[in-house]
């Protein structure tokens, strides 16, 4: 994506069109890959839907009904025709509308991702700043240790640990489900969001620390200090803003990692969400549901990248001037 | 009189206490919260049900024509419970079954009285191959279903079946759906909004609470005490177990893993463990089309190499030993002392090694199989792998997901197959499904579950015995024919029942079911359940 935009960048007005074209190509390639991968995998949705006792005749009727008996190229064309007409189809297994299934589950995944991001940023950036500005001190070592722990502990394990401590032993918060009304949903969100947020904070903290240390060595920072600008001002006004550019890049990449993390967390906390829908669909070879769910994921990824591009422009005035 | 600060505190404490306890009525109104091992609802329509987890809901929403008494798997004609069918008549040749239905039974959601037309519709949809009912296989002997009058239904069978009440009229197969409700919607919509005559009616599928059911006011057996049931879909056994220990759930489906029962008892000493024995029948097949499994000495050596006691002990009461092809608690099933000594196959590694030596495999041999990751299968297979290693046989296991395993093993890819399935206690079902040549597995996946190729390779005479059993209208003679076939199968050893594995649930001790769970399918009814203090 970056290379296309870079080439077209000097034609400022074309940039949005190029980005959209880039996004569409990316989504198309992802869908092609998913389409092929699902059909290459062994396993039969007809057997899953009708059970182990279904007769060959019943299995054949099922395949004909859902077009699974047609040649792959015909299924491929039909798949893209459906997407072009915004028809996500129905699940092969449950017969439920996939659009409705995603609409029901997506809010839970979005609220978890947003909450985790908020926690990750709220903890990660200040910790990274403190760690960089007090390099070599006890606070720095403690922050680095926690960051390392956040990197090393698998999300599902951390989730189970947090669940046992805060949910079971201390009995502070609910440990399963997504909640009903607003207050209940917030309560149900805390532990899963803490899990993902902690891992994200570890990542953000390390990134902020290293970026800030790099910036703090620059001449303009030295100049600002020589001019007598207060240290807090130097760090937060001059250094941090520049240090945030790599943080935002890393943040964009991490959001994608977090999506896969949310799948494990949804299972550990028995939360509804798109991750559970995807896992279930893959294990039952529910092709249309897998394809539709990954379409949503792909669009989310493209959307995040797009948002990151915009944030760069906001953070870095040079990008505004060159249009790149 | 002026209230003191102490009076105010006392009054506040009293109101908090009242609010917290909520009185007896509020406690009884609390829903039963169940968690089953699955990620999503497939189908709540019993005609299309393939997932155990869905069947927990279906059992509450639907009543069957006949049922075993709650908590048992007792299906003899004198003990089976007349649920929607009040009585029945069987012709002398066991081919015509006429049922008299209970009058005045109402369907949920105002769909009116259940009549013979609903029964005829339910069965005809299951029999129609285009309709895709997985229950059709159990009704292969049904020729026609006829509504004689409003409350009388006649089943005509193609072959005599003295146990048709147990194979074709019970549980999910005998669950009657409302024709009016089913025809008003699509099959897919009905599967997510079912209408039956059970103690609980379907309310909704909630993304958070799972399947929500509410007590049916007009239930013919009387309105249940508990107003609501929530059946959550939680695939992760750790998440289910922890939520149960915390008290958020009242019933959870257990993990069929060695040590699970002990673990939960350590965490929650007063837990009630419900086990529906015999549960699934786990059968080990040797592919007689592959070397060296075509050699009876090798098959026997491998059988002698397995210690069934270790398997049974490891599962901590969940597993049961099997001696014949049918489990010992099935009608006509062999008990240990009923078998000749040489067909009991007690663990004997020395004998196993001698047999391998005799077959020219004194240095052992290696082979690879695919195996599902599902915990019950993989636990059994890992234990067997270890036992066989001690007699010099090296079985390497390539683990794959459960869906793939089912589709691949049905293409005859494995030299040794483990298959787990639940059967009603009807003596002909297991031998016909696994040992008749008509059920032979095929490489194109269009065969059935005779993974040994028995009957096509070896097994002369067994098909005849099983055919004779299927044609025999007299129950006792039929069971004797099956036992004769079993003895021949045990001698040839194309496969063997390695153990039974019960379905296990952990239950809140405050929740009384109204019966003890001893046997049955992987689901039980909550119509008589109530919370006690």
């Amino acid at each position: 994506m970056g290379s296309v935009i870079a080439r077209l960048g000097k034609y400022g007005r074309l940039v949005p069109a190029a980005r959209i074209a880039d996004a569409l190509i990316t989504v198309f390639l992802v869908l092609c890959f998913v389409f092929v991968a699902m059909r290459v995998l062994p396993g039969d949705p007809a057997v899953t839907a009708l059970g182990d006792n279904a007769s060959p005749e019943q299995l054949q009727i099922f395949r004909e009904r859902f077009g699974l008996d047609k040649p792959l190229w015909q299924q491929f064309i039909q798949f893209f025709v459906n997407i072009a007409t915004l028809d996500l189809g129905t699940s092969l297994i449950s017969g439920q509308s996939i659009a409705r299934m995603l609409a029901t589950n997506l809010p839970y995944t979005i609220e978890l991702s947003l909450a985790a991001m908020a926690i990750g940023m709220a903890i990660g950036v200040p910790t990274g700043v403190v760690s960089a500005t007090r390099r070599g001190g006890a606070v720095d070592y403690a922050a680095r240790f926690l960051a390392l722990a956040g990197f090393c502990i698998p999300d599902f394990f951390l989730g189970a640990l947090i669940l046992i401590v805060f949910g079971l032993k201390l009995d502070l918060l609910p440990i399963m489900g997504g909640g009903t009304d607003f207050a209940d949903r917030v309560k149900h969100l805390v532990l899963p969001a803490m899990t993902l947020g902690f891992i994200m904070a570890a990542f953000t903290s390390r990134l902020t620390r290293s970026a800030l240390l790099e910036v703090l060595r620059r001449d303009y920072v030295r100049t600002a200090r020589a001019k007598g600008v207060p240290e807090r001002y130097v760090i937060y006004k001059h250094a941090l803003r520049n240090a945030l550019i790599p943080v935002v890049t890393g943040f964009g990449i991490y959001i994608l990692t977090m999506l896969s993390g949310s799948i494990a967390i949804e299972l550990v906390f028995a939360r509804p969400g798109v991750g559970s829908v995807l896992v279930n669909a893959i294990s039952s070879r529910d092709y249309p549901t897998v394809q539709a769910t990954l379409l949503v994921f792909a669009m989310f990824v493209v959307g995040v990248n797009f948002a990151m591009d915009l944030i760069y422009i906001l953070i870095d005035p040079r990008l505004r001037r060159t249009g790149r | 009189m002026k209230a003191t600060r102490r009076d105010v505190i006392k009054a506040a404490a009293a109101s908090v206490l009242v609010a917290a306890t909520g009185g007896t009525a509020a406690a009884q109104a609390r829903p039963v919260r169940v968690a089953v091992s699955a990620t999503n609802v497939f189908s709540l329509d019993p005609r299309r049900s393939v997932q155990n987890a869905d069947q927990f809901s279906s059992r509450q929403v639907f009543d069957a024509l006949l049922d075993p008494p709650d908590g048992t798997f007792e299906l003899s004609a004198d003990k089976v419970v007349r649920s929607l069918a009040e009585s029945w008549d069987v012709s002398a040749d066991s081919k015509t079954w006429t049922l008299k239905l209970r009058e005045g039974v109402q369907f949920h959601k105002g769909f009116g009285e259940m009549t013979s037309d609903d029964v005829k519709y339910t069965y005809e949809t299951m029999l129609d191959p285009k309709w895709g009912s997985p229950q059709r296989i159990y009704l292969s002997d049904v020729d026609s279903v006829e509504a004689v009058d409003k409350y009388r239904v006649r089943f005509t069978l193609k072959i005599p079946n003295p146990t048709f009440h147990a194979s074709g009229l019970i549980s999910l197969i005998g669950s009657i759906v409302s024709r009016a409700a089913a025809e008003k919607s699509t099959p897919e919509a009905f599967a997510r909004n079912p209408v039956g005559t059970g103690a609980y009616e379907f309310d909704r599928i909630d993304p958070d609470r799972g399947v929500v059911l509410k007590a049916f006011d007009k239930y013919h057996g009387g309105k249940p005490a508990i107003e609501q049931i929530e059946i959550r879909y939680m695939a992760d056994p750790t998440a289910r177990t922890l939520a149960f220990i915390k008290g958020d759930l009242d019933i959870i489906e257990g993990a069929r893993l060695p040590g699970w029962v002990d673990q939960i008892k350590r965490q929650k000493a007063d837990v009630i463990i419900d086990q529906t024995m015999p549960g699934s029948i786990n059968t080990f097949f040797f592919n007689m089309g592959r070397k060296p499994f075509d050699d009876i000495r090798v098959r026997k050596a491998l059988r002698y190499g397995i210690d069934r006691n270790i398997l049974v002990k490891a599962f901590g009461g969940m597993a049961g030993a099997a001696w014949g092809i049918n489990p010992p608690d099935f009608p006509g099933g062999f008990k240990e002392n009923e078998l000749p000594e040489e067909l009991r196959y007690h663990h004997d590694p020395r004998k196993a090694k001698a047999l391998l030596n005799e077959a020219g495999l004194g240095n052992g041999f290696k082979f690879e199989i695919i195996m599902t990751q599902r915990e019950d299968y993989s636990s059994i297979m890992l234990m067997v792998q270890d036992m066989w290693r001690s007699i010099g046989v090296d079985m390497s296991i390539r683990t794959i997901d459960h869906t793939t395993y089912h589709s691949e093993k049905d293409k005859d890819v494995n030299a040794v197959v483990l298959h787990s399935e639940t059967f009603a206690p009807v003596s002909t079902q297991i031998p016909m499904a696994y040992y008749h040549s008509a059920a032979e597995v095929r490489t194109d996946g269009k065969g059935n579950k005779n993974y040994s190729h028995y009957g096509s390779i070896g097994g002369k005479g067994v098909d005849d015995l099983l055919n004779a059993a299927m044609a025999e209208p007299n129950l006792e003679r039929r069971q004797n024919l099956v036992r004769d076939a079993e003895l021949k199968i045990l001698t040839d050893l194309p496969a063997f029942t390695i153990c039974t594995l019960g379905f296990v649930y952990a239950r809140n001790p405050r929740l009384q079911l109204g019966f003890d769970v001893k046997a049955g399918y992987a689901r039980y009814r909550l119509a008589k359940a109530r919370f006690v203090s």
Side-chain angles (χ1 to χ4, degrees):
Chain A
M1 180 173 176
S3 62
V4 177
I5 291 168
R7 269 185 269 124
L8 293 174
K10 58 184 173 184
Y11 307 104
R13 279 175 299 175
L14 291 177
V15 167
R19 282 179 181 171
I20 289 166
D22 248 353
L24 289 175
I25 292 167
T26 308
V27 171
F28 174 77
L29 291 175
V30 166
L31 290 177
C32 288
F33 174 76
V34 172
F35 181 89
V36 174
M38 282 310 293
R39 280 153 181 86
V40 166
L41 279 176
D44 188 344
V47 175
T48 314
L50 300 181
D52 212 19
N53 284 329
S55 67
E57 183 192 12
Q58 285 177 290
L59 295 172
Q60 188 55 29
I61 290 169
F62 180 92
R63 291 181 194 118
E64 282 167 17
R65 190 169 151 221
F66 288 100
L68 299 171
D69 60 326
K70 289 183 181 156
L72 267 190
W73 65 269
Q74 278 185 26
Q75 291 184 47
F76 187 76
I77 290 172
Q78 188 59 50
F79 168 50
F80 280 100
V81 167
N82 289 348
I83 286 179
T85 54
L86 298 178
D87 175 12
L88 296 181
T90 54
S91 160
L92 296 181
I93 308 300
S94 68
Q96 199 188 0
S97 151
I98 296 170
R100 187 180 298 172
M101 212 150 68
L102 292 176
T104 311
N105 286 282
L106 200 56
Y108 291 97
T109 303
I110 291 174
E111 71 190 23
L112 174 61
S113 304
L114 291 178
M117 272 156 54
I119 292 172
M121 289 300 271
I123 298 174
V125 173
T127 314
V129 171
V130 173
S131 190
T133 51
R134 298 180 189 184
R135 192 182 177 193
V139 177
D140 182 28
Y141 280 116
R144 282 163 68 187
F145 174 77
L146 283 175
L148 197 65
F151 270 108
C152 298
I153 301 175
D155 42 21
F156 63 88
F157 180 77
L158 182 65
L161 211 63
I162 286 180
L163 183 151
I164 290 168
V165 174
F166 294 99
L168 208 60
K169 298 290 177 197
L170 301 176
D171 201 11
L172 294 175
L173 288 156
I175 61 170
M176 63 160 200
T180 45
D181 55 31
F182 178 75
D184 196 34
R185 276 177 90 141
V186 170
K187 269 199 255 173
H188 280 82
L189 190 58
V190 175
L191 296 184
M194 256 172 71
T195 310
L196 282 179
F198 176 70
I199 295 170
M200 185 156 193
F203 179 84
T204 314
S205 163
R206 276 183 74 96
L207 212 58
T208 308
R209 181 182 180 275
S210 58
L212 195 58
L213 283 174
E214 177 65 30
V215 171
L216 286 174
R217 282 191 215 109
R218 298 266 173 88
D219 289 344
Y220 69 87
V221 173
R222 202 175 303 129
T223 309
R225 280 179 175 148
K227 279 165 68 181
V229 177
E231 186 61 16
R232 202 161 43 149
Y233 221 74
V234 171
I235 290 165
Y236 290 102
K237 175 81 179 167
H238 296 285
L240 186 58
R241 187 159 185 174
N242 287 303
L244 279 180
I245 294 171
V247 174
V248 168
T249 312
F251 193 70
I253 295 165
Y254 187 73
I255 286 174
L256 314 181
T257 315
M258 199 172 66
L259 270 183
S260 60
S262 71
I263 295 173
I265 295 305
E266 281 170 14
L267 286 176
V268 170
F269 288 94
R271 272 181 70 79
V274 180
S276 316
V277 173
L278 180 64
V279 169
N280 186 40
I282 292 172
S283 66
S284 54
R285 303 293 183 273
D286 189 351
Y287 303 149
T289 308
V290 175
Q291 285 157 187
T293 312
L294 287 174
L295 172 69
V296 170
F297 274 5
M299 288 174 71
F300 183 73
V301 169
V302 166
V304 166
N305 277 331
F306 195 76
M308 288 303 124
D309 286 346
L310 294 177
I311 293 171
Y312 291 156
I313 294 169
L314 286 175
I315 295 174
D316 191 343
R318 289 169 299 179
L319 293 176
R320 263 177 275 168
R321 281 197 295 275
T322 59
R324 289 187 172 210
Chain B
M1 191 177 77
K2 196 179 169 186
T4 63
R5 189 163 60 179
R6 184 170 290 181
D7 291 334
V8 172
I9 291 170
K10 271 185 186 170
S15 31
V16 166
L17 195 65
V18 168
T21 53
T24 312
Q28 287 295 318
R30 187 198 141 183
V32 176
R33 298 189 182 107
V34 183
V36 288
S37 174
T39 48
N40 197 12
V41 175
F42 277 16
S43 172
L44 303 180
D45 181 344
R47 297 170 300 168
R48 297 172 81 98
S49 185
V50 291
Q51 186 172 249
N52 274 341
D54 294 340
Q55 291 161 12
F56 206 100
S57 300
S58 303
R59 281 308 279 142
Q60 320 307 326
V61 174
F62 291 91
D63 269 351
L65 292 167
L66 303 173
D67 255 324
D70 283 331
T72 76
F73 221 161
E74 187 56 71
L75 288 172
S76 57
D78 56 327
K79 292 202 175 137
V80 72
V81 173
R82 280 75 173 150
S83 186
L84 293 179
E86 222 167 42
S87 61
W88 72 80
D89 290 321
V90 194
S91 64
D93 63 359
S94 300
K95 284 171 82 172
T96 307
W97 289 67
T98 308
L99 272 67
K100 164 77 175 65
L101 301 179
R102 190 181 293 277
E103 292 181 28
V105 174
Q106 294 296 314
F107 278 114
H108 306 148
K109 301 180 183 181
F111 277 97
E113 189 185 7
M114 181 209 63
T115 66
S116 55
D117 188 47
D118 297 297
V119 178
K120 179 178 158 69
Y121 168 77
T122 302
Y123 276 87
E124 283 182 347
T125 46
M126 284 195 283
L127 289 167
D128 179 359
K130 285 184 189 152
W131 210 81
S133 171
Q135 324 306 352
R136 185 168 165 250
I137 190 166
Y138 302 109
L139 299 169
S140 57
D141 51 359
V142 177
D143 188 34
S144 64
V145 186
E146 185 190 343
V148 181
D149 59 38
K150 194 176 176 186
Y151 299 113
R152 216 170 289 271
V153 191
R154 182 176 300 135
F155 291 84
T156 308
L157 309 184
K158 296 171 198 162
I159 50 171
N161 186 355
T163 55
F164 181 64
H165 67 284
S167 63
L169 303 175
I170 59 153
S171 193
L172 287 181
I173 305 159
S175 295
I176 304 304
V177 306
S178 158
R179 177 181 204 137
E183 287 187 339
K184 205 176 165 188
S185 64
T186 62
E188 289 75 23
F190 189 78
R192 299 181 73 80
N193 187 11
V195 175
T197 58
Y200 285 89
E201 63 180 312
F202 175 83
D203 183 19
R204 64 187 188 278
I205 296 175
D206 185 293
D208 189 43
R209 295 183 176 191
V211 177
V212 180
L213 309 175
K214 60 182 182 188
F216 181 40
D217 292 340
K218 294 179 184 165
Y219 182 53
H220 62 91
K223 191 184 174 187
I226 292 169
E227 277 295 327
Q228 203 177 63
I229 304 175
E230 296 172 4
I231 300 168
R232 289 168 162 84
Y233 283 61
M234 294 170 69
D236 183 24
T238 311
R240 287 200 304 274
T241 308
L242 292 175
F244 177 78
I245 291 167
K246 188 169 190 263
D248 290 348
L249 294 168
D250 301 303
I251 298 173
I252 57 165
E253 189 176 341
R256 298 203 292 170
L257 272 170
W260 184 82
V261 170
D262 292 338
Q263 183 202 346
I264 200 160
K265 278 182 175 167
R266 274 199 301 274
Q267 298 285 329
K268 201 172 170 78
D270 58 352
V271 62
I272 296 177
I273 300 292
D274 294 320
Q275 290 191 56
T276 58
M277 300 297 278
S280 48
I281 315 298
N282 293 275
T283 307
F284 240 80
F285 295 85
F286 298 116
N287 189 333
M288 291 162 74
R290 304 270 179 91
K291 285 193 178 303
F293 305 99
D294 56 339
D295 188 331
I296 177 71
R297 293 167 297 186
V298 174
R299 298 198 297 274
K300 283 190 172 176
L302 294 172
R303 182 67 189 102
Y304 282 121
I306 294 173
D307 188 344
R308 50 163 77 83
N309 294 328
I310 287 183
L311 282 167
V312 171
K313 264 189 198 163
F315 280 100
M318 269 186 233
W323 303 94
I325 303 308
N326 281 309
D329 31 13
F330 271 27
F334 278 109
K335 296 183 175 53
E336 182 185 1
N337 57 10
E338 292 173 326
L339 282 171
E341 179 61 34
E342 72 274 15
L343 297 184
R344 295 182 194 176
Y345 296 106
H346 286 293
H347 182 224
D348 190 342
R350 200 177 298 171
K351 203 169 188 175
K353 282 181 184 169
L355 280 163
L356 285 176
N357 203 27
E358 206 180 298
L361 295 167
N363 294 326
F365 65 98
K366 287 182 180 181
F367 65 101
E368 189 192 72
I369 57 158
I370 53 164
M371 180 45 50
T372 166
Q373 63 187 1
R374 208 175 84 176
E375 68 256 14
D376 51 339
Y377 277 81
S378 53
S379 303
I380 292 174
M381 217 54 184
L382 287 171
M383 284 189 266
V384 169
Q385 182 189 44
D386 195 48
M387 292 179 210
W388 280 354
R389 201 174 282 139
S390 69
I391 58 165
V393 175
D394 183 2
M395 173 175 66
S396 59
I397 299 173
R398 190 157 53 87
T399 306
I400 55 176
D401 72 271
H402 194 61
T403 307
T404 309
Y405 177 68
H406 270 301
S407 72
E408 290 302 291
K409 80 173 162 42
D410 290 350
K411 291 177 188 158
D412 198 22
V413 298
N414 258 358
V416 169
V417 171
L418 175 60
H419 180 73
S420 166
E421 193 170 350
T422 310
F423 289 91
V426 176
S427 63
T428 47
Q429 286 193 349
I430 298 175
M432 286 302 290
Y434 294 165
Y435 298 96
H436 197 283
S437 64
E440 187 182 5
V441 68
R442 281 168 47 180
T443 49
D444 60 3
K446 292 182 179 173
N448 225 310
K449 296 191 183 64
N450 175 352
Y451 299 106
S452 305
H453 301 276
Y454 190 58
S456 298
I457 305 174
K460 198 177 164 199
V462 168
D463 276 3
D464 296 336
L465 281 169
L466 293 177
N467 291 340
M470 290 302 287
E472 175 56 59
N474 178 280
L475 185 57
E476 199 183 331
R477 284 200 293 270
R478 173 181 274 230
Q479 280 176 357
N480 286 337
L481 284 164
V482 171
R483 282 167 73 96
D484 288 346
E486 279 197 56
L487 290 173
K488 170 80 177 135
I489 294 165
L490 288 170
T491 307
D492 294 342
L493 212 65
F496 60 93
T497 307
I498 186 163
C499 63
T500 61
L501 200 52
F503 295 100
V504 62
Y505 291 86
R507 176 159 50 94
N508 174 357
R510 285 191 55 224
L511 179 66
Q512 300 293 306
L513 300 178
F515 55 88
D516 292 329
V517 177
K518 290 173 189 157
Y521 288 108
R523 59 237 172 202
Y524 45 68
R525 307 186 72 201
L526 298 173
K528 298 174 194 161
R530 57 176 63 244
F531 286 106
V532 292
S533 53

